[in-house]
Amino acid sequence: MEISAEVQSLFDTLVVTRRALHAMPELSEQEFKTSDYIAARLKALGIRFRRIHTGLVADVKGEESGHTVGYRADIDALPVTEKSGEPFAAAVNMHACGHDGHTAMLLAFAELLTRCRPLYDTRLIFQFGEEGTGGAEKMIEAGALDGVDEIYAFHLCPELDKGKLASADGPLFAGTVEFDVTFTGLAAHCAAREQGRDALGAAVSFVSRLPEMNAGFASNTLAHAGRLDAGTARNIVADRALVECTYRFFDPAHMEAGMMNAERVLTDITAATGVSHDLTVQSVYDPLIVDGRALRRLREVVTVETCAPRFTSEDFSAYCKRVPGCLAWLGIRDAKYGAPLHSDTFGFDEQALLYGVETFYRLSRARNRFIGGGRGKP
């Protein structure tokens, strides 16, 4: 992809912005300094905005009204202690998923729009709480998507060469059910274990049978137990155990079937052990389904490779559920950078961000819009 002179002129600003954001990583729904930083930048550019908690929504009028294109960046960080060695690394928390890059691109695009007016009305969404707190839904409920006809976003990708784009027509990220199972038994001394009901043993049995959640569609679902907490002492039959699980899927029908499979397994274990159970769903995220029309529109301005869907999740899915949308991976891999997302050594060359800004810029000038969607109403 050739970078235009207009976008290239923003490189120094991109670097300064990304590094300033990287040095102030804040966890989901605690992005107060980050929000103030974005607000100050938008105010300096003369772009009107409003706040939604720590998120911000800004609008730029286009040459033609009656159609609005949305662009989204997530702004939160992760509770990871950075070991990248970068001089702008923070002491606490880390932008280990590239959200500092996403936000820097959207702010650079905002600056570009003050110099090169977009063809259509433009909505810039700086979203809080992507990392597990449902920020997208909260932003949408507060009107962030109202009036938007189509929406686009990027996610940095360390498995893809720097500057390349990739997406899929249909599922791109998995839906997620985060759930806990609590087992309640009866404590007893291990020397008289027949007098107790072993909650830990029941939990271990459930974990060993967790793959049965995938029965019938194993290649399209994933079940995983990430944490087990149980017992009070080594010589006591545990009267309580907690298993924290995640279930990933691309088809909502598989979600329902998988959770029913889990209940079937739990019923079997309860009958065999006498231990009771309680399954509690903590959160549910829809699969991210890329709209084929939005992907085609993106491909009319840049080259986008086709990639397979992943079992990672992304709450950009909430936007795509309401209006035609497309998220594309933006490659950052090069000879220096290639650490995976969410790792304590994750990093990237800011040159990669130019490709994201260039893509947004081309979309803002493209006349190949489509009519459809739902004008962003929940």
Side-chain angles (χ1 to χ4, degrees), residues 84-142:
S84 68
E86 298 285 12
F88 48 87
V92 179
N93 301 325
M94 179 186 176
H95 272 295
C97 203
H99 295 186
D100 53 339
H102 302 167
T103 304
M105 285 189 289
L106 199 59
L107 280 172
F109 180 50
E111 182 171 340
L112 190 58
L113 293 178
T114 65
R115 308 175 191 173
C116 309
R117 190 177 179 187
L119 187 60
Y120 302 113
D121 292 343
T122 298
R123 173 76 48 82
L124 308 175
I125 300 173
F126 297 89
Q127 181 206 308
F128 66 86
E130 191 279 328
E131 295 289 354
T133 63
E137 286 287 357
K138 295 171 185 176
M139 293 282 291
I140 292 168
E141 288 171 4

Side-chain angles (χ1 to χ4, degrees), residues 164-198:
K164 290 188 174 181
L165 305 182
S167 191
D169 186 348
L172 181 63
F173 283 77
T176 305
V177 181
E178 309 287 14
F179 69 97
D180 299 337
V181 181
T182 301
F183 296 89
T184 303
L186 180 65
H189 194 282
C190 66
R193 59 181 295 113
E194 69 279 358
Q195 298 176 13
R197 294 194 295 274
D198 189 0

